[in-house]
Amino acid sequence: MRIYVYLLEGKDWAVEDSYVKLKVGKFKSKTRVLKNTKNPVWNEEFVFRVYDLEEELVLSVYQHHDDSRFFNVYGDLVGKVKIPVWSVADEENQNLPPTWFSLQKPKSAKSVDKYCGKILLTVSLHGKGKDLSTNHVSHVNPTNETSKEIEVTNISSQDFHGFAAHTKKMSEGKHLIKNIACHFEKLFGKNEEAKKSDEEESKKDDSSDISTITSDYEDCPREEPPVSHNFEELIERMRPTSEDKEMPGDLQGGVLLDQTYIVTSKDLNVLLFAPDSQFRKDLAEFQGTTDVQEGPWTWKSDDMCVTRVVTYIKAASKLVKAVQATEEQTYIKADGKEFSVFVTVSTPDAPYGSTFKIELLYKIMPGQQESSGGESTRLVVSWSINFNQNTMMKSMIEGGARQGLKESFDQFAEALARKLKVTTARSVFEKDRVLASLQTEQQSDWEMAKAYFWNITVVSTIFMILYAFAHILLSEPTKLQGLEAHGFDLPDSIGEIITSGILVLQLERVYYMVSRFVEARLRRGNDHGVKAQGDGWVLTVALIEGMNLASLDPTDFPDPYVVFTCNGKTRTSSVQLQTLDPQWSEILEFDAAEEPPSVLDVEVFDFDGPFDQASSLGHAEINFLKHTSEELADIWVPLEGRIAQSSQSKLHLRIFLDNNNGVETIRDYLTKMEKEVGKKLNLRSPHKNSTFQKLFGLPPEEFLINDYSCSLKRKMPLQGRIFLSARIVGFYANLFGHKTKFFFLWEDIEDVNVVSPSWSTMGSPALEIILRKGRGVDAGHGAKCQDEEGRLHFYFHSFVSFNVASRTIIALWRARTLPPDQKAQIVEEQQEEDEKIAFSEDTASYMVVEDVEMSKVYSAELPLNVKSLMRMFDGGDLEQRVMSKSGCLNYATTSWETVAPDVSERQVSYKYNRFISIFGGEVTSTQQKSPIANGAGWIVNEIMALHDVPFGDQFRVQFRYQIEDATSVHNSCKCDVSVGVMWQKNTKFEQRITRNIIGKFTTRVKDILELVEREILLSS
């Protein structure tokens, strides 16, 4: 049992710097220190475990000294309050409403005046203290401007014992008691003091969400209720004080979210922090947050700011149970354009939760002007952790907090992206800017010719030609000598022969250069500047430059050009002549593809003419899944190859991958794959895709197609899930905190084979995936073996439905890697084979296991006919309503498919809520139905797999529903349900788990069938 103490405030204390120490049995805690006030306001909640109702809640008020922490001692004791736990248990609903208690002076005090102040608190044994304290204004008559409170003075455990016994019977006489209390106050002359105190309190702005209007238990009349303002008025009130303030810097923990949205900063501020924000409600539902209580925004005159308190119960995670959290939200800046909100989050119920607080800073700032003329706003959220006590677990707490906040704000960003459009203007602008700059950098043919021909060979040749031509013009005709004849002049000396030879060689060299330049220029323009065609995934490659390219001829420079290959299509750059550091500045676009590309192959060649074999200067492979879009936007790619690596050659590229048709491209791809898989493929939710991308570190364009529960065969089988996307096959398992994950590309797969059932695969068929030589090296730790050719072999088995999983995997592989004509032929063969095979033996043996001991858990005659009761298996509204009410989340079914004569099969998936299973694991099951021999009913067999639960990979739950017409009563049916547990591995917990499952499903089956009966009768 637990006791919840909500400490609200104190009044008329004898000291200014104080804190409160709380104790129940051996459990202790204390509040924060409040300075310079005799009317402290805490609004803090504490939870203690109670083992005996005879224990007492002791609240001790201490005066704080600044030097007390150096000597590790407490300050001076001001007063105490003692409340027996049994007295709270005797209250109505075991809740003690907000009550003022007078502090009891310590016996050692020498002062004659025993009055040292009062303390307001509420206590509950059901965790509802916060609700009472928050909503105690509801006890006040709205037509009455004043209210009164009961004052309990000089309370001790004996006094409160009698008081609690009395108050248990006074629920109907509260107003009479209040009047009597007021008369007593007048007699003791305290009424004036109380009025003055209340007037001061009515003028004071409370910084918390706990209303200062008192309940029926308050003891002093109010002159007037506190003045309330709406949210817009309070923000406007902060504008004058915020105009001179600068936006604070990010907190030291780091940035959790930095995103720009198409919305004004004012509207974004209202969306996030306005009272009763629909976005906050949707976010709470998305994150599983419950019991959200938002306090009103109030003006804090001391700090000239607006503040409120929000409390909620944070959903349980795999490591931490559901805990209560309190957020104190305070506006630091709000000038109408820029907003900054500082949030302090306390979770005292979390492990070591009393030792730290989480701090968050929301910054809302105007972004860049959109090209469409709309406004954009940048939202930045940063965090830090503040430890108020030293602890050895500091590093572990920081790591856990960082991971939890990252997951929480990933969900926050996803939910916000559903409400607002995330701007891509920055990335689009960057791409357009880069491409525009490359287009302006293009050299003309004249400039390139000037750079190419401006060398000693061409210059010397031109000089020699001009020199010889001038010599001919200046020379006189000579006499015929030797063997010369008219029109046939021979050199007259050895010098002339040498000069003529040099001139011929020079002319030949120049002619060769001119021809190479012309051929290279003719190659330019084939692919450069050609725009992509079609809708889908468009790949744009900007080839900037090369560095340190190798030369095959040590006496000459290379003439490099680059060939890019992606999805079987090639793009070729222009030839850069005679250079080791070529400058291209060219843009190459690939036509739109239906699926996102996985790999871009790059190879650099040395141009030797249109009819000569080009020589490779180096090659590279760019895997899009291993680089972010930011990295691809400006990347230096090192070239592989013997001479390229020795020269450290590399290329400078800018790569952009865009989907110009949005989500329609993905839907079209899934529709195409449905024909080849033979099964409906649904577009996964953004949350599911986001989780999948984070799990394997994939770029945001990757989308999940399907995932299946299975086992990975290595030395020991490893239960996990296989994930299939447009570009990868991935596997993930988490066995007692030991995580195994890997993925490889569809293009890496050389062959996929079906392996017959064996003992090593626990009697189920397996799927063997063989990778190409040298491929999938990063996934090698998941392979069963490596053959002599260096190929990795992976084995997957124990699928819930092997037929569906294997058919999907094989179809996706063929669609991704094989040529179109071969794919069409294989798909036709697969369809013919599926028609011949009515129902595979492995699935049949898996669906009905004869040696499983079945226990009949339900047998009854229902006032429904067979057809009506079978509606619980048709996937319609009735089934959805019933399963939702019985605790099933995300319930989904496939349509019934005929797998054998008179046998139909379907798949079911859902997730149990935390009330059904504390693990909240996912459930997948395969159901088969067939008519009874006489046609008077149906038999439904079901095999259920429980995921993410201890030992869930070692057993399956088998159900058998037999529904047939009743012989005794007309228009009724008899329903028998049997449950059994099929163990795939032996464990010492087998009997305990079997007993727990049979007991749980005995109750659950009965509840579900009663819901079905009630829903059908009500609808009729």
Side-chain angles (χ1 to χ4, degrees):
M1 180 173 62
R2 293 187 176 187
I3 185 170
Y4 298 78
V5 183
Y6 201 84
L7 182 58
L8 302 177
E9 58 181 304
K11 182 165 59 176
D12 302 335
W13 286 17
V15 296
E16 291 187 346
D17 301 341
S18 59
Y19 63 92
V20 180
K21 204 179 157 189
L22 300 92
K23 178 181 178 183
V24 177
K26 63 180 180 180
F27 301 103
K28 301 177 182 179
S29 187
K30 68 176 183 178
T31 67
R32 65 185 186 277
V33 177
L34 295 182
K35 297 184 177 182
N36 303 323
T37 177
K38 291 186 177 181
N39 300 297
V41 178
W42 276 286
N43 295 324
E44 293 188 27
E45 185 176 22
F46 302 87
V47 183
F48 301 94
R49 190 173 294 279
V50 178
Y51 295 99
D52 189 356
L53 289 177
E54 297 301 324
E55 293 178 347
E56 288 184 333
L57 167 65
V58 181
L59 296 92
S60 304
V61 180
Y62 288 89
Q63 181 180 10
H64 174 73
H65 299 294
D66 292 334
D67 58 349
S68 62
R69 66 179 184 273
F70 296 105
F71 300 98
N72 197 23
V73 297
Y74 295 108
D76 298 332
L77 179 62
V78 178
K80 286 187 177 182
V81 170
K82 297 182 179 180
I83 303 175
V85 176
W86 62 262
S87 62
V88 181
D90 288 343
E91 288 288 330
E92 183 178 359
N93 296 327
Q94 296 183 336
N95 293 322
L96 178 65
T99 306
W100 285 101
F101 292 89
S102 291
L103 298 179
Q104 200 172 5
K105 195 80 172 181
K107 295 181 180 180
S108 59
K110 299 180 180 180
S111 176
V112 177
D113 186 11
K114 293 185 178 181
Y115 180 77
C116 51
K118 294 180 291 185
I119 188 169
L120 178 63
L121 57 93
T122 178
V123 186
S124 173
L125 296 179
H126 288 303
K128 301 295 185 182
K130 180 181 76 63
D131 296 338
L132 288 168
S133 61
T134 304
N135 300 321
H136 67 274
V137 66
S138 62
H139 294 282
V140 182
N141 187 348
T143 61
N144 192 357
E145 295 183 359
T146 63
S147 62
K148 304 175 183 179
E149 64 183 5
I150 295 176
E151 183 184 69
V152 182
T153 58
N154 297 331
I155 235 170
S156 65
S157 59
Q158 293 84 1
D159 298 334
F160 194 82
H161 178 93
F163 174 77
H166 173 69
T167 54
K168 185 177 179 180
K169 303 176 181 179
M170 56 174 290
S171 58
E172 296 181 357
K174 291 181 180 179
H175 295 288
L176 178 62
I177 295 298
K178 288 190 289 183
N179 292 331
I180 295 175
C182 289
H183 285 300
F184 274 109
E185 289 175 355
K186 291 180 180 179
L187 290 176
F188 288 102
K190 295 182 180 179
N191 197 37
E192 294 300 324
E193 180 183 352
K195 286 183 178 180
K196 293 180 181 179
S197 175
D198 285 326
E199 288 175 357
E200 293 175 359
E201 289 181 7
S202 65
K203 295 178 182 178
K204 181 181 66 176
D205 292 313
D206 194 356
S207 64
S208 71
D209 67 333
I210 306 302
S211 174
T212 57
I213 303 176
T214 57
S215 68
D216 293 336
Y217 283 81
E218 294 177 335
D219 62 6
C220 53
R222 297 278 181 185
E223 293 299 329
E224 57 182 3
V227 180
S228 61
H229 300 274
N230 61 38
F231 179 67
E232 290 77 9
E233 291 177 352
L234 291 173
I235 297 299
E236 189 66 26
R237 191 173 179 179
M238 276 196 67
R239 176 176 289 190
T241 61
S242 300
E243 290 178 350
D244 297 333
K245 290 184 180 179
E246 294 184 358
M247 185 67 74
D250 297 332
L251 299 182
Q252 60 184 5
V255 176
L256 297 170
L257 175 65
D258 186 355
Q259 189 59 267
T260 304
Y261 300 93
I262 308 297
V263 66
T264 64
S265 57
K266 186 175 181 180
D267 291 341
L268 181 57
N269 175 62
V270 172
L271 179 69
L272 296 182
F273 297 106
D276 297 326
S277 169
Q278 185 60 41
F279 168 73
R280 287 288 181 180
K281 295 178 182 178
D282 297 340
L283 179 64
E285 182 179 357
F286 182 41
Q287 294 181 332
T289 305
T290 58
D291 200 15
V292 180
Q293 299 289 337
E294 293 184 354
W297 287 102
T298 57
W299 175 258
K300 197 172 182 179
S301 57
D302 296 341
D303 299 327
M304 302 294 289
C305 64
V306 179
T307 181
R308 75 169 177 180
V309 174
V310 179
T311 59
Y312 52 86
I313 296 178
K314 186 173 178 60
S317 64
K318 293 182 179 179
L319 299 178
V320 182
K321 63 179 183 179
V323 295
Q324 189 171 32
T326 302
E327 289 188 4
E328 297 183 8
Q329 302 175 353
T330 304
Y331 271 91
I332 299 176
K333 178 181 176 67
D335 61 2
K337 295 182 178 179
E338 294 184 341
F339 303 88
S340 178
V341 181
F342 182 76
V343 180
T344 302
V345 186
S346 58
T347 53
D349 291 346
Y352 301 93
S354 59
T355 64
F356 68 93
K357 289 187 177 181
I358 301 295
E359 297 176 346
L360 300 171
L361 180 63
Y362 293 77
K363 296 194 298 184
I364 302 174
M365 302 164 287
Q368 297 179 350
Q369 186 75 16
E370 293 296 306
S371 58
S372 60
E375 296 185 25
S376 65
T377 299
R378 184 185 177 194
L379 173 63
V380 180
V381 184
S382 56
W383 78 284
S384 65
I385 186 169
N386 184 17
F387 286 91
N388 49 37
Q389 294 181 20
N390 291 328
T391 173
M392 297 177 60
M393 310 299 291
K394 183 176 180 180
S395 59
M396 186 188 75
I397 293 173
E398 286 182 344
R402 182 182 296 106
Q403 181 64 26
L405 287 171
K406 185 177 182 301
E407 293 176 358
S408 177
F409 274 90
D410 286 343
Q411 296 174 342
F412 176 91
E414 183 177 344
L416 192 58
R418 297 176 183 176
K419 290 283 186 180
L420 303 174
K421 181 180 179 182
V422 180
T423 177
T424 57
R426 182 178 301 177
S427 58
V428 173
F429 175 77
E430 180 70 13
K431 175 185 175 182
D432 294 341
R433 184 184 63 80
V434 170
L435 299 183
S437 64
L438 292 178
Q439 291 174 351
T440 58
E441 292 175 4
Q442 290 292 326
Q443 289 182 309
S444 65
D445 289 344
W446 170 252
E447 292 174 342
M448 297 192 69
K450 181 179 178 182
Y452 178 60
F453 290 112
W454 185 253
N455 54 60
I456 187 64
T457 300
V458 176
V459 172
S460 61
T461 301
I462 294 175
F463 174 78
M464 291 180 66
I465 292 174
L466 293 177
Y467 188 85
F469 185 72
H471 171 72
I472 293 172
L473 293 178
L474 296 175
S475 298
E476 296 179 359
T478 59
K479 298 179 180 180
L480 297 176
Q481 300 180 16
L483 300 177
E484 294 179 342
H486 291 285
F488 183 71
D489 193 10
L490 295 175
D492 297 334
S493 65
I494 299 299
E496 289 182 357
I497 294 175
I498 295 174
T499 302
S500 300
I502 293 174
L503 184 59
V504 170
L505 293 176
Q506 290 286 79
L507 288 173
E508 182 183 8
R509 178 64 179 170
V510 171
Y511 173 77
Y512 175 74
M513 292 180 63
V514 171
S515 63
R516 287 173 62 88
F517 179 80
V518 173
E519 291 174 358
R521 290 305 90 196
L522 291 176
R523 292 184 63 89
R524 184 187 180 95
N526 291 339
D527 295 324
H528 168 67
V530 178
K531 295 297 182 180
Q533 302 294 323
D535 294 329
W537 298 95
V538 176
L539 177 63
T540 304
V541 180
L543 176 60
I544 310 298
E545 58 184 323
M547 181 181 293
N548 300 328
L549 296 186
S551 176
L552 300 175
D553 185 358
T555 63
D556 196 6
F557 289 134
D559 302 322
Y561 67 96
V562 185
V563 176
F564 298 94
T565 305
C566 183
N567 286 346
K569 302 175 182 177
T570 61
R571 293 291 184 268
T572 306
S573 74
S574 63
V575 179
Q576 299 296 310
L577 302 172
Q578 298 293 298
T579 177
L580 296 175
D581 301 313
Q583 301 288 325
W584 277 284
S585 300
E586 295 181 2
I587 303 170
L588 307 171
E589 291 188 359
F590 289 80
D591 288 340
E594 296 178 344
E595 63 273 352
S598 305
V599 175
L600 175 66
D601 291 319
V602 183
E603 190 160 10
V604 182
F605 293 95
D606 185 10
F607 179 72
D608 288 328
F611 304 107
D612 295 333
Q613 181 68 33
S615 302
S616 177
L617 301 179
H619 61 90
E621 181 182 271
I622 302 174
N623 190 331
F624 295 135
L625 298 170
K626 295 183 179 180
H627 298 280
T628 64
S629 57
E630 290 78 11
E631 293 172 344
L632 292 174
D634 192 359
I635 185 173
W636 281 91
V637 182
L639 298 180
E640 299 178 1
R642 182 175 55 83
I643 60 174
Q645 290 178 338
S646 62
S647 302
Q648 296 184 346
S649 304
K650 53 185 177 180
L651 293 178
H652 187 194
L653 306 176
R654 291 178 180 266
I655 303 173
F656 304 93
L657 181 61
D658 300 313
N659 180 3
N660 61 12
N661 202 26
V663 72
E664 293 301 323
T665 300
I666 301 176
R667 288 198 177 99
D668 293 342
Y669 176 75
L670 293 178
T671 302
K672 172 190 171 185
M673 295 309 304
E674 286 175 0
K675 300 177 182 178
E676 302 187 11
V677 174
K679 180 179 178 295
K680 178 68 174 178
L681 299 177
N682 296 317
L683 182 63
R684 297 303 180 97
S685 67
H687 174 64
K688 187 78 172 178
N689 274 326
S690 175
T691 304
F692 165 67
Q693 293 161 7
K694 293 169 191 171
L695 185 62
F696 293 100
L698 302 174
E701 67 266 13
E702 193 67 16
F703 59 93
L704 179 64
I705 295 177
N706 217 332
D707 60 297
Y708 303 98
S709 173
C710 66
S711 290
L712 175 68
K713 181 182 176 182
R714 296 189 296 184
K715 291 182 179 179
M716 292 293 293
L718 180 62
Q719 181 70 22
R721 297 190 75 82
I722 187 170
F723 295 84
L724 311 176
S725 75
R727 295 186 285 187
I728 73 159
V729 178
F731 179 81
Y732 175 80
N734 187 349
L735 182 63
F736 301 113
H738 180 70
K739 298 179 180 179
T740 301
K741 65 178 178 180
F742 60 84
F743 70 86
F744 46 81
L745 303 177
W746 290 109
E747 289 85 351
D748 295 340
I749 300 176
E750 181 175 308
D751 198 7
V752 180
N753 300 318
V754 176
V755 181
S756 301
S758 63
W759 286 107
S760 61
T761 60
M762 294 182 291
S764 68
L767 202 64
E768 180 190 25
I769 298 179
I770 305 174
L771 302 190
R772 303 179 189 276
K773 181 180 178 180
R775 295 287 187 170
V777 178
D778 296 339
H781 60 280
K784 171 67 175 174
C785 62
Q786 184 175 5
D787 60 20
E788 297 177 353
E789 299 179 8
R791 303 179 302 176
L792 296 175
H793 292 242
F794 297 81
Y795 292 86
F796 302 94
H797 61 91
S798 297
F799 291 93
V800 176
S801 178
F802 180 80
N803 275 352
V804 174
S806 62
R807 187 165 61 242
T808 303
I809 293 173
I810 294 174
L812 289 174
W813 165 62
R814 289 170 174 169
R816 186 76 188 189
T817 59
L818 300 181
D821 53 347
Q822 190 174 354
K823 283 192 293 185
Q825 180 181 355
I826 292 178
V827 169
E828 292 178 0
E829 294 176 356
Q830 181 69 32
Q831 291 176 351
E832 294 176 359
E833 183 180 352
D834 291 343
E835 292 175 358
K836 294 178 181 179
I837 301 177
F839 189 61
S840 64
E841 295 180 359
D842 55 274
T843 306
S845 61
Y846 186 68
M847 283 301 301
V848 181
V849 183
E850 299 296 341
D851 58 352
V852 174
E853 182 180 352
M854 303 292 289
S855 301
K856 183 177 289 188
V857 298
Y858 182 84
S859 180
E861 288 190 4
L862 304 177
L864 306 170
N865 57 41
V866 174
K867 183 178 180 181
S868 297
L869 187 56
M870 284 299 293
R871 288 173 56 196
M872 66 181 290
F873 297 107
D874 65 357
D877 293 338
L878 174 65
E879 183 178 1
Q880 293 287 343
R881 289 199 309 270
V882 169
M883 301 309 291
S884 176
K885 291 180 180 180
S886 63
C888 297
L889 306 176
N890 303 327
Y891 189 81
T893 65
T894 63
S895 57
W896 288 100
E897 297 179 1
T898 302
V899 294
D902 295 331
V903 178
S904 299
E905 180 181 304
R906 72 168 183 171
Q907 308 297 322
V908 180
S909 64
Y910 53 91
K911 185 176 182 180
Y912 284 131
N913 63 26
R914 298 288 175 177
F915 296 102
I916 302 297
S917 171
I918 60 174
F919 300 101
E922 294 185 359
V923 178
T924 57
S925 64
T926 301
Q927 295 178 347
Q928 285 185 358
K929 68 176 181 178
S930 58
I932 297 177
N934 58 8
W938 292 86
I939 293 178
V940 179
N941 290 308
E942 178 178 2
I943 294 292
M944 177 184 293
L946 303 177
H947 308 289
D948 302 326
V949 300
F951 305 100
D953 60 329
Q954 301 183 15
F955 66 89
R956 296 291 184 267
V957 184
Q958 182 171 339
F959 295 85
R960 179 183 173 87
Y961 301 84
Q962 184 167 342
I963 304 171
E964 56 185 338
D965 292 331
T967 57
S968 58
V969 182
H970 177 66
N971 202 24
S972 63
C973 66
K974 182 181 179 182
C975 179
D976 295 330
V977 183
S978 300
V979 180
V981 180
M982 176 178 57
W983 286 94
Q984 300 175 339
K985 298 180 184 178
N986 293 328
T987 173
K988 63 180 181 180
F989 301 106
E990 182 173 329
Q991 293 182 354
R992 183 191 304 178
I993 294 175
T994 300
R995 187 167 55 252
N996 177 267
I997 291 175
I998 298 298
K1000 185 69 176 179
F1001 281 106
T1002 299
T1003 305
R1004 181 164 175 77
V1005 167
K1006 180 180 178 181
D1007 293 341
I1008 290 177
L1009 289 172
E1010 288 179 352
L1011 274 173
V1012 172
E1013 179 183 355
R1014 184 162 57 249
E1015 289 288 337
I1016 293 177
L1017 293 177
L1018 288 175
S1019 62
S1020 60

